Amino acid sequence: MSEEEVIKSARKFAVKNALDYGKARPDNVINKLFVEVKSAKELGISRIKEIVEEVVGEVNAMPVDQLRKEAESYTYPERPERVGLPKLDWADGVAINTRFAPNPSGFLHIGHAKVALLCDEYAKMYSGSFYVRFEDTDPKTKPPIPEAYKAIIDDLNWLGCSISGVFRQSERMELYYLYAKRLIDEGSAYVCTCEQETMKKNREEGTECACRNRADDDNIREWEAMLSTYGEGEAVLRLKTDMKHPNPSVRDWVMMRIIDAEHPITKNKYRVWPLYNFASAVDDHEMKISLVIRGIEHEVNGVKQSFFYKAIGAKQPHTIEVGVLKVRGTLAHKSDIIKAIKSGELSGWDDPRTPTVAGFRNNGFKAAAIREYVISSGIGKNPSYLDLAKLTAFGRKQEKW
Ligand code: GLU
């Protein structure tokens, strides 16, 4: 074995790793390298690390086209194709209910489709129900688009999801108020009237504010004032978590806040809206969800929500956070797509150049191919780029991207 052999192998796997995940990671490359060059250890682990880090640095600076070209010159070991999703070792024979919880502030992206299909597959595998829950309780920063509610259901039906029920959080507001009141009465939640800056500083320093230790009656009066007289930004409802939690964002997170904006469904009926963590946890509990599957960006939210379950004395559902599925060379963010539609650059959310489910459909992809693709990619945490060649192999009809 020569050093050159190790460099060559590192380069080969770094190129593949960068193509699969956007950036190559030394750990991944080292693992592959040891399988290919059995005697690599003779060089010593510190030298190998040096080599791999240097190679990874070079490869991560290369443009995608060049990576693709170089990858064609290598032969990679065949990965055994996975049949079906991994079994859940905690499943004990009872039905497993899942939910897909999109924000109707845009249309379904292929990354959302991945999460929805995983939820639908697991509900099918374990004879449970698959629910759709529209998370539409932020009329200001994530204003719902009225047509999106139907379009999302149409997309899910097209993807072959078996929907057992559809819920809209904006129509479940009374439920959040009930939980809020219960948590206030039990001393687990409090109205905080600190300035945003003060709240931030207290969080960073792990300091409790005076609002947290207000007398119960005063706290109830403050809640009533929050519902009636306080204005936007003047008061929020916080859950008592742990002001010394290692992650400052977990410290007494905000459950509800006042928003002065009209909602397309409830109009001006409500001013005090739940934030994602509160509404999501209440609903997962009320809807008897046993498995939550969501994007990896929600990892800390799982920790935040654990405090809600502790406060109500219930068990948190099993949760799987999966890596984001992205599409190279297309607009990834809702806001960019909206801009491009407005400027006429794209014909709409279903323009074949958008990475939306409707875009894929209009491009000739089959729903069954997308499902197969998602199942074969599994439930890992690494982000990945859509591999069009693989999707094509699963049954794509046209070549238009
Ligand atoms: N509305 C959230 C999202 O689209 C849902 C996250 C979850 O499934 O809990 O990211």
Side-chain angles (χ1 to χ4, degrees):
M1 185 263 326
S2 65
E3 192 162 307
E4 218 151 285
E5 216 180 319
V6 172
I7 297 173
K8 253 170 96 181
S9 178
R11 173 96 188 180
K12 165 175 158 180
F13 290 113
V15 166
K16 173 101 173 62
N17 206 228
L19 277 174
D20 287 348
Y21 300 113
K23 282 244 169 301
R25 288 189 29 205
D27 289 357
N28 293 348
V29 176
I30 289 177
N31 289 341
K32 294 273 180 347
L33 184 154
F34 276 138
V35 176
E36 184 170 76
V37 188
K38 298 260 178 315
S39 50
K41 281 200 180 86
E42 288 166 19
L43 266 189
I45 187 71
S46 53
R47 177 67 193 129
I48 290 177
K49 270 194 181 149
E50 255 172 43
I51 294 176
V52 170
E53 267 160 28
E54 194 178 327
V55 168
V56 163
E58 282 164 19
V59 165
N60 283 345
M62 283 165 67
V64 174
D65 288 354
Q66 219 173 308
L67 288 173
R68 277 203 194 107
K69 212 152 150 230
E70 186 167 333
E72 279 167 17
S73 67
Y74 300 125
T75 317
Y76 291 102
E78 289 276 328
R79 236 211 238 161
E81 216 46 81
R82 187 208 304 281
V83 185
L85 288 169
K87 297 222 162 27
L88 303 170
D89 52 14
W90 49 268
D92 51 6
V94 289
I96 287 183
N97 299 333
T98 63
R99 88 305 190 266
F100 173 58
N103 303 338
S105 52
F107 291 63
L108 286 195
H109 179 278
I110 197 75
H112 299 121
K114 167 181 171 175
V115 174
L117 286 168
L118 290 173
C119 292
D120 180 60
E121 274 297 316
Y122 272 118
K124 283 178 173 143
M125 252 168 94
Y126 290 97
S127 316
S129 300
F130 165 74
Y131 299 108
V132 179
R133 185 175 75 219
F134 286 110
E135 300 204 327
D136 58 349
T137 62
D138 184 351
K140 198 162 228 170
T141 51
K142 291 181 197 145
I145 302 176
E147 313 85 270
Y149 293 90
K150 180 173 179 301
I152 289 175
I153 297 295
D154 289 348
D155 284 346
L156 293 172
N157 283 330
W158 178 76
L159 284 167
C161 294
S162 306
I163 305 174
S164 298
V166 178
F167 300 87
R168 291 176 179 182
Q169 288 190 323
S170 57
E171 293 170 341
R172 297 165 67 78
M173 295 292 282
E174 301 303 328
L175 183 66
Y176 311 129
Y177 287 137
L178 275 179
Y179 271 89
K181 182 71 172 52
R182 168 180 161 188
L183 291 167
I184 293 167
D185 288 342
E186 291 172 358
S188 303
Y190 63 99
V191 172
C192 182
T193 49
C194 292
E195 296 277 335
Q196 248 187 24
E197 273 309 301
T198 316
M199 201 186 295
K200 192 167 162 236
K201 190 163 170 276
N202 284 341
R203 266 217 184 99
E204 275 159 12
E205 292 170 356
T207 314
E208 296 182 6
C209 64
C211 311
R212 194 186 213 264
N213 299 308
R214 213 186 260 123
D216 292 351
D217 285 355
D218 290 343
N219 197 29
I220 291 170
R221 257 194 299 279
E222 285 294 304
W223 170 239
E224 278 156 12
M226 189 170 154
L227 290 171
S228 54
T229 48
Y230 274 129
E232 191 174 296
E234 286 178 350
V236 293
L237 184 69
R238 299 174 72 179
L239 185 72
K240 281 188 189 164
T241 61
D242 170 4
M243 282 305 283
K244 298 272 183 248
H245 191 278
N247 182 338
S249 77
V250 175
R251 299 176 186 168
D252 288 12
W253 50 266
V254 174
M255 298 160 58
M256 298 190 100
R257 41 94 157 95
I258 300 167
I259 300 179
D260 280 325
E262 187 174 296
H263 189 283
I265 294 175
T266 58
K267 307 294 176 200
N268 293 311
K269 189 167 173 192
Y270 302 104
R271 298 169 57 242
V272 177
W273 292 92
L275 275 107
Y276 160 73
N277 278 308
F278 179 47
S280 173
V282 167
D283 282 339
D284 287 342
H285 177 63
E286 284 286 322
M287 291 163 68
K288 301 194 170 32
I289 299 300
S290 29
L291 171 63
V292 170
I293 301 177
R294 58 186 161 211
I296 192 78
E297 70 277 16
H298 290 288
E299 219 164 16
V300 177
N301 289 328
V303 178
K304 291 186 184 172
Q305 291 173 22
S306 69
F307 284 92
F308 166 82
Y309 290 99
K310 232 179 263 166
I312 64 163
K315 196 172 156 275
Q316 183 165 14
H318 287 271
T319 305
I320 301 175
E321 277 115 6
V322 293
V324 186
L325 174 61
K326 298 187 260 189
V327 182
R328 266 206 179 86
T330 59
L331 297 178
H333 296 289
K334 267 182 206 171
S335 51
D336 293 334
I337 298 178
I338 293 174
K339 231 190 268 162
I341 293 173
K342 277 197 182 135
S343 72
E345 212 177 301
L346 290 174
S347 61
W349 288 93
D350 59 352
D351 188 303
R353 286 164 299 174
T354 66
T356 55
V357 171
F360 273 80
R361 181 168 59 230
N362 282 344
N363 224 342
F365 285 98
K366 291 194 179 127
I370 300 177
R371 183 177 288 262
E372 280 302 303
Y373 182 95
V374 166
I375 294 173
S376 78
S377 324
I379 52 172
K381 286 185 187 298
N382 279 338
S384 59
Y385 281 100
L386 186 79
D387 179 343
L388 276 182
K390 188 169 155 194
L391 183 59
T392 307
F394 280 129
R396 189 182 165 205
K397 285 200 307 211
Q398 294 163 300
E399 192 78 45
K400 270 197 201 152
W401 286 100

